[in-house]
Amino acid sequence: MSCFCLKGSFDFYIKSLDPQTIIYNDISEWMDDEIHSIPNYYIVDVRFPNSSMYSLKVRPLTSTVIRASDIGISKFKDGIYCFIIDPLSEESGGCGTPYTKSWAVLPNIRCCLDQGFSTLPDDKYYDLVEVERWIRKSEESSSLGQEIQSKQEYTIAKKLLDKLNCECNC
């Protein structure tokens, strides 16, 4: 019987399509030898910004579409999400090693930014580009484990966007 284990690297990136849909892209390293195989899926526990937890079934080395409705919420809230591999779960691939990684999931502010680009006058273009820059910085900081910095950068982006009085129905 073969088992599956991470090969020392739990890694992924997330793309928000809209406030109801995110794409989880696994780029972890997996053991693939005589006794190990790459699984069809693995379980990752997610701590949401409100501290609630949910276990997700995701596919290795590919993309998994995650819909808010599939996990019993109406939409994803902006914030830092913590993804955890339980070292003792046989379905996680942790094989005794705990892994955690945070990611800023920001679908609502991105939706508002997109609406701003499509509805605000052209003279607001560079202001919107500045908001976009702060959103990217927040996402990058979170992926590097700098949660406090990520939250501060998100707050700056939100304040800059709010100043533009963009009508947003996200």
Side-chain angles (χ1 to χ4, degrees):
M1 183 174 132
S2 72
C3 64
F4 62 93
C5 289
L6 287 161
K7 190 178 181 178
S9 173
F10 170 54
D11 202 5
F12 61 86
Y13 66 95
I14 290 180
K15 170 121 175 92
S16 302
L17 296 183
D18 56 48
Q20 293 79 27
T21 314
I22 61 173
I23 308 288
Y24 177 97
N25 299 283
D26 178 70
I27 53 175
S28 301
E29 287 187 63
W30 292 90
M31 291 184 186
D32 191 15
D33 54 33
E34 289 179 19
I35 60 169
H36 297 97
S37 63
I38 298 174
N40 293 325
Y41 69 89
Y42 66 100
I43 302 295
V44 62
D45 296 323
V46 182
R47 186 173 48 243
F48 291 84
N50 67 1
S51 296
S52 65
M53 295 287 287
Y54 192 85
S55 293
L56 292 175
K57 187 185 281 191
V58 295
R59 292 181 288 167
L61 304 176
T62 191
S63 300
T64 302
V65 176
I66 304 167
R67 290 182 177 77
S69 60
D70 295 341
I71 57 176
I73 59 175
S74 60
K75 69 180 188 174
F76 291 99
K77 295 185 188 291
D78 289 349
I80 307 294
Y81 289 62
C82 184
F83 295 79
I84 304 158
I85 296 293
D86 180 345
L88 303 178
S89 167
E90 290 182 14
E91 292 185 297
S92 73
C95 299
T97 304
Y99 296 94
T100 61
K101 182 176 178 180
S102 296
W103 195 273
V105 177
L106 307 174
N108 298 290
I109 195 170
R110 283 203 166 276
C111 177
C112 289
L113 179 67
D114 291 345
Q115 286 185 7
F117 276 119
S118 64
T119 61
L120 291 176
D122 290 345
D123 66 337
K124 301 293 183 191
Y125 174 79
Y126 292 106
D127 295 328
L128 290 165
V129 168
E130 182 69 6
V131 171
E132 186 174 41
R133 188 175 74 81
W134 283 102
I135 293 171
R136 271 196 320 269
K137 287 176 66 104
S138 176
E139 291 168 338
E140 290 168 7
S141 293
S142 74
S143 73
L144 296 171
Q146 300 170 341
E147 290 185 32
I148 294 170
Q149 182 173 332
S150 175
K151 289 176 184 177
Q152 291 170 342
E153 291 161 346
Y154 171 79
T155 300
I156 292 169
K158 184 86 172 103
K159 285 179 182 178
L160 290 171
L161 189 60
D162 289 346
K163 280 185 185 178
L164 296 173
N165 296 321
C166 179
E167 294 290 325
C168 178
N169 0 330
C170 295

